[in-house]
Amino acid sequence: MKLGTRSDTFYTEQATRSLVSDIPPNLVIKINDTTYLLHKSPLISKCGLLRRLCSDTNDSESDVLELHDMPGGSEAFELCAKFCYGISINISAYNFVPSLCASKLLQMNESIERGNFVGKLESFFGSCILEGWKDSVSTLQATEKLPEWSENLGIIRKCIDSIIEKILTPPSQVKWSYTYTRPGYNRKQHHSVPKDWWTEDISILNIDLFRCIIMTIRSTHVLPPQLIGESLHVYACKWLPCIINVQSSGSSVSQTEESKEKNRKILETIVSMIPADRGSVSVGFLLKLLSMSNLFGVSTVSKTELIKRASIQFHEAKVSDLNFYDVELVQVVLESFLKFWKRISPGDADNRHYLLRSIRKVGKLVDSYLQVVARDDNMEVSKFVALAETVPAIGRLEHDDLYQAINIYLKVHSELSKAEKKRLCGILECQKLSPEVRAHAVKNEFLPLRTVVQLLYYEQEKDLNGTTSTKLQKPHELLLGAKMRPATRDSNGKRSLGLDKEEFKREDITRKASLAESREKSEHKTQRLDDKLALDLEKKMVIREVKEEAKKKMSIGRTRSSKSEYGSEKRR
């Protein structure tokens, strides 16, 4: 809105604002560090406050007034002064709030003069600002600098009502411009308005105004919970930028106490606004908020709520959603997930299958996560094992992924003691490893001998039961391979951090070729080994039978002896 026609003749000289005029100034107004040299006549005719303050003097005398409590400061007062002089001014959504507040203080009402400043501003507010989308949001944002004045004048309430009305409008009826800069979105290619078109524009507001809008929208029950959740995600990404990199950085974000307190309030408020409906926000978003909760000193109530919400959806998470430097936090969520899982009644078959799938997904997730954190030089064995052991047996159908995580950990942490290696490998179950992985494990020089022996013993038991895998070598061949095999290294001469699938394939081809060539030579040795094992088992069985027979005889001997003693006593 443009008002006035005269050119601007205000100028500054040594922190004093004056007006080019042939008439000497007779009104001095001080606002903070700025002094204005003006004229009584044009200002008193439109400003009721100045008329009252200058009522005791005539026009020839000079008055000095101090208006340090002017809302909007000297800039807002100058707009009002220029209006009084008829100088051209432009009113927009960005300067409307301070202009209205200052004109209200100066009492530039219709009762003082018809067509005064307040009336024109209020007309502009109702017919232009509130009718537009971005102007309403910008004006509401401007009220943050003058909250009390804006609240008392009804600016905040009217802007919020206008914004909510537009948000609740069906997307097909949205005709106004909006901001939407999401990756992959091209307005020229998308003719329809996205359902979350409004989220980015209102994210510029402070957390209190944003909360007021979101909670009012939620109370209408018009928009789905997922749309509310998306608006919270957009807001968090704008005001908590560390939410993007929180998983991949172990260092604390440098922050002042003021910024820490501000971020804490934002995070806690966002948590309080998450709809109760499951899936209203993604588990990845919940886990990111949870990762930042310690960083900002979030309250226990908010943190507990995040753990609860994240655990319910934990089976939907990906490895990239987890914090790579906070294993304890992941374990807390996992334990909460297991408690939630145990509380749910299995019910019908579909429910049982769903629960079983969920816990196995989580088991797979944890094992994949362990493979990532195993590369951390500072990862303690106790933390690694504690997280691995938290997954129940039903959550792991096989231990291949767990073995890979252990293998990576052993190669990165070559300084582990025997006790630590034993503790680490004690969580492996040989019978849950695939034949290919078992073949790799018995040749793995990083595994403790105890684990290799267990693997060989398991294979021998399978041989005795007639269920030997055709993909594996004989136990004595595997043991020989474990001793002879050199350490695996990559092209740069460094040890490999994971299982190499190509290595498995090459070893399998080599084993088959060598088996075909040496089958004749090894048959005799294998037979002798099998005979020896059979003989050992037979001896153990004979010894066991002899011991049992001796025990029986000793028991009978004791019985007869006691009876004989009893008889002698009787005869006496």
Side-chain angles (χ1 to χ4, degrees):
M1 178 176 68
K2 185 175 181 179
L3 298 173
T5 56
R6 292 178 56 188
S7 60
D8 188 355
T9 54
F10 272 81
Y11 67 95
T12 302
E13 185 176 352
Q14 296 180 351
T16 300
R17 293 284 285 167
S18 305
L19 190 71
V20 177
S21 175
D22 295 333
I23 304 173
N26 57 0
L27 179 61
V28 179
I29 295 179
K30 295 182 178 181
I31 301 175
N32 300 321
D33 297 330
T34 305
T35 300
Y36 285 91
L37 302 180
L38 304 173
H39 305 86
K40 288 183 183 180
S41 178
L43 270 69
I44 290 177
S45 63
K46 290 181 172 60
C47 302
L49 176 64
L50 299 182
R51 180 183 297 182
R52 179 167 53 83
L53 294 175
C54 298
S55 60
D56 296 335
T57 59
N58 54 44
D59 292 344
S60 61
E61 297 178 356
S62 181
D63 281 317
V64 178
L65 304 177
E66 294 186 0
L67 302 177
H68 298 304
D69 58 347
M70 177 68 61
S74 58
E75 294 84 358
F77 170 78
E78 189 165 318
L79 285 173
C80 295
K82 287 179 178 180
F83 175 82
C84 294
Y85 279 103
I87 294 174
S88 177
I89 57 175
N90 288 309
I91 303 298
S92 67
Y94 299 98
N95 63 8
F96 163 78
V97 174
S99 299
L100 181 62
C101 295
S103 62
K104 281 285 187 178
L105 177 67
L106 293 171
Q107 299 174 13
M108 301 176 72
N109 307 315
E110 294 294 309
S111 58
I112 301 298
E113 184 178 277
R114 190 173 181 181
N116 215 338
F117 201 25
V118 170
K120 291 187 179 296
L121 289 172
E122 289 179 341
S123 176
F124 173 69
F125 181 51
S127 61
C128 295
I129 291 179
L130 295 180
E131 290 298 315
W133 163 249
K134 288 190 174 182
D135 283 347
S136 296
V137 176
S138 297
T139 300
L140 184 59
Q141 184 186 24
T143 64
E144 296 172 11
K145 294 182 178 180
L146 296 168
E148 292 184 6
W149 274 91
S150 301
E151 183 68 33
N152 293 333
L153 294 177
I155 301 174
I156 294 178
R157 184 71 265 163
K158 291 176 181 178
C159 284
I160 289 178
D161 289 343
S162 174
I163 290 170
I164 292 174
E165 181 184 0
K166 292 177 177 62
I167 290 176
L168 297 180
T169 301
S172 59
Q173 298 179 21
V174 173
K175 306 300 180 185
W176 47 84
S177 63
Y178 54 85
T179 305
Y180 200 91
T181 59
R182 313 292 173 79
Y185 180 82
N186 189 331
R187 189 162 298 163
K188 293 180 179 179
Q189 297 176 359
H190 296 77
H191 300 290
S192 60
V193 176
K195 293 180 180 180
D196 59 342
W197 62 268
W198 48 274
T199 55
E200 194 168 337
D201 283 324
I202 67 168
S203 67
I204 67 171
L205 302 172
N206 68 32
I207 190 62
D208 293 323
L209 294 175
F210 177 77
R211 183 182 186 278
C212 186
I213 291 174
I214 295 299
M215 297 307 291
T216 305
I217 292 173
R218 280 185 55 180
S219 65
T220 62
H221 302 288
V222 174
L223 300 183
Q226 290 76 14
L227 198 50
I228 302 296
E230 177 61 16
S231 68
L232 300 180
H233 182 262
V234 171
Y235 192 89
C237 289
K238 183 176 182 64
W239 292 93
L240 302 173
C242 55
I243 195 172
I244 300 172
N245 300 317
V246 72
Q247 310 95 321
S248 56
S249 175
S251 59
S252 298
V253 178
S254 59
Q255 53 182 339
T256 62
E257 284 300 318
E258 183 180 356
S259 65
K260 182 179 179 180
E261 177 62 23
K262 180 181 178 181
N263 290 332
R264 182 196 62 78
K265 180 181 178 182
I266 291 174
L267 203 156
E268 288 182 350
T269 306
I270 288 175
V271 173
S272 69
M273 289 191 289
I274 297 176
D277 308 69
R278 180 177 174 179
S280 57
V281 294
S282 68
V283 64
F285 179 55
L286 292 168
L287 290 169
K288 288 172 185 176
L289 293 178
L290 186 56
S291 295
M292 290 187 295
S293 60
N294 290 332
L295 186 63
F296 300 143
V298 171
S299 68
T300 304
V301 174
S302 296
K303 192 171 180 179
T304 302
E305 178 65 16
L306 281 172
I307 292 173
K308 174 187 171 185
R309 298 293 297 267
S311 64
I312 294 174
Q313 299 175 229
F314 198 40
H315 61 284
E316 301 171 0
K318 300 176 182 177
V319 177
S320 58
D321 296 326
L322 306 180
N323 190 322
F324 301 156
Y325 292 87
D326 199 343
V327 177
E328 293 95 334
L329 185 144
V330 175
Q331 184 166 350
V332 167
V333 177
L334 174 59
E335 290 171 349
S336 179
F337 165 79
L338 295 175
K339 289 178 183 178
F340 171 76
W341 178 69
K342 289 175 182 177
R343 286 196 302 266
I344 297 178
S345 175
D348 56 16
D350 290 339
N351 198 21
R352 286 196 299 272
H353 289 315
Y354 172 75
L355 293 174
L356 193 59
R357 286 197 305 270
S358 297
I359 197 168
R360 285 176 179 168
K361 281 183 179 179
V362 169
K364 194 80 172 175
L365 171 69
V366 172
D367 288 348
S368 299
Y369 175 70
L370 287 171
Q371 293 173 25
V372 176
V373 298
R375 293 175 167 85
D376 183 6
D377 293 332
N378 300 318
M379 179 55 56
E380 300 174 11
V381 173
S382 57
K383 292 181 180 180
F384 187 92
V385 172
L387 180 58
E389 288 182 332
T390 305
V391 178
I394 196 174
R396 286 192 183 101
L397 289 178
E398 46 83 19
H399 277 213
D400 287 5
D401 289 338
L402 181 59
Y403 169 76
Q404 185 169 349
I406 292 173
N407 185 44
I408 294 171
Y409 191 93
L410 288 171
K411 292 179 179 180
V412 173
H413 304 80
S414 55
E415 73 289 350
L416 291 180
S417 65
K418 289 183 179 180
E420 288 174 325
K421 285 186 177 181
K422 179 181 176 182
R423 179 79 179 94
L424 181 65
C425 296
I427 58 181
L428 271 178
E429 295 183 27
C430 301
Q431 66 273 23
K432 288 190 176 182
L433 294 176
S434 66
E436 292 83 2
V437 174
R438 282 199 301 272
H440 184 280
V442 295
K443 295 182 179 182
N444 192 341
E445 65 171 3
F446 295 100
L447 291 178
L449 184 59
R450 178 187 179 91
T451 303
V452 176
V453 170
Q454 288 177 344
L455 286 162
L456 292 172
Y457 180 74
Y458 172 73
E459 284 303 319
Q460 189 59 47
E461 277 192 334
K462 290 181 69 179
D463 284 345
L464 293 173
N465 294 328
T467 58
T468 307
S469 172
T470 58
K471 295 182 180 179
L472 288 175
Q473 294 169 278
K474 295 299 182 182
H476 66 280
E477 293 171 349
L478 293 174
L479 184 56
L480 181 63
K483 293 178 181 177
M484 300 290 291
R485 183 182 181 202
T488 304
R489 296 180 180 273
D490 61 17
S491 59
N492 296 321
K494 296 182 179 178
R495 285 174 175 173
S496 172
L497 294 182
L499 293 178
D500 192 343
K501 294 183 179 179
E502 292 298 325
E503 181 184 353
F504 283 146
K505 292 179 181 178
R506 290 195 300 270
E507 288 179 357
D508 192 43
I509 294 170
T510 305
R511 283 197 302 272
K512 287 178 180 178
S514 62
L515 278 172
E517 293 176 4
S518 61
R519 189 183 302 269
E520 244 179 76
K521 295 179 182 179
S522 62
E523 277 181 1
H524 182 62
K525 293 180 181 179
T526 305
Q527 185 62 43
R528 279 196 303 169
L529 179 62
D530 291 345
D531 291 342
K532 186 177 180 300
L533 288 171
L535 183 60
D536 289 341
L537 288 172
E538 186 176 349
K539 285 180 180 179
K540 289 179 181 178
M541 292 175 68
V542 170
I543 292 170
R544 191 181 302 151
E545 289 177 0
V546 170
K547 287 181 178 179
E548 289 177 357
E549 186 66 28
K551 287 180 181 178
K552 287 181 181 178
K553 288 180 179 180
M554 289 177 65
S555 178
I556 294 170
R558 288 196 202 96
T559 305
R560 288 177 180 175
S561 176
S562 62
K563 286 182 178 179
S564 175
E565 289 175 3
Y566 176 73
S568 298
E569 288 290 330
K570 206 172 182 185
R571 283 196 297 271
R572 286 177 193 172

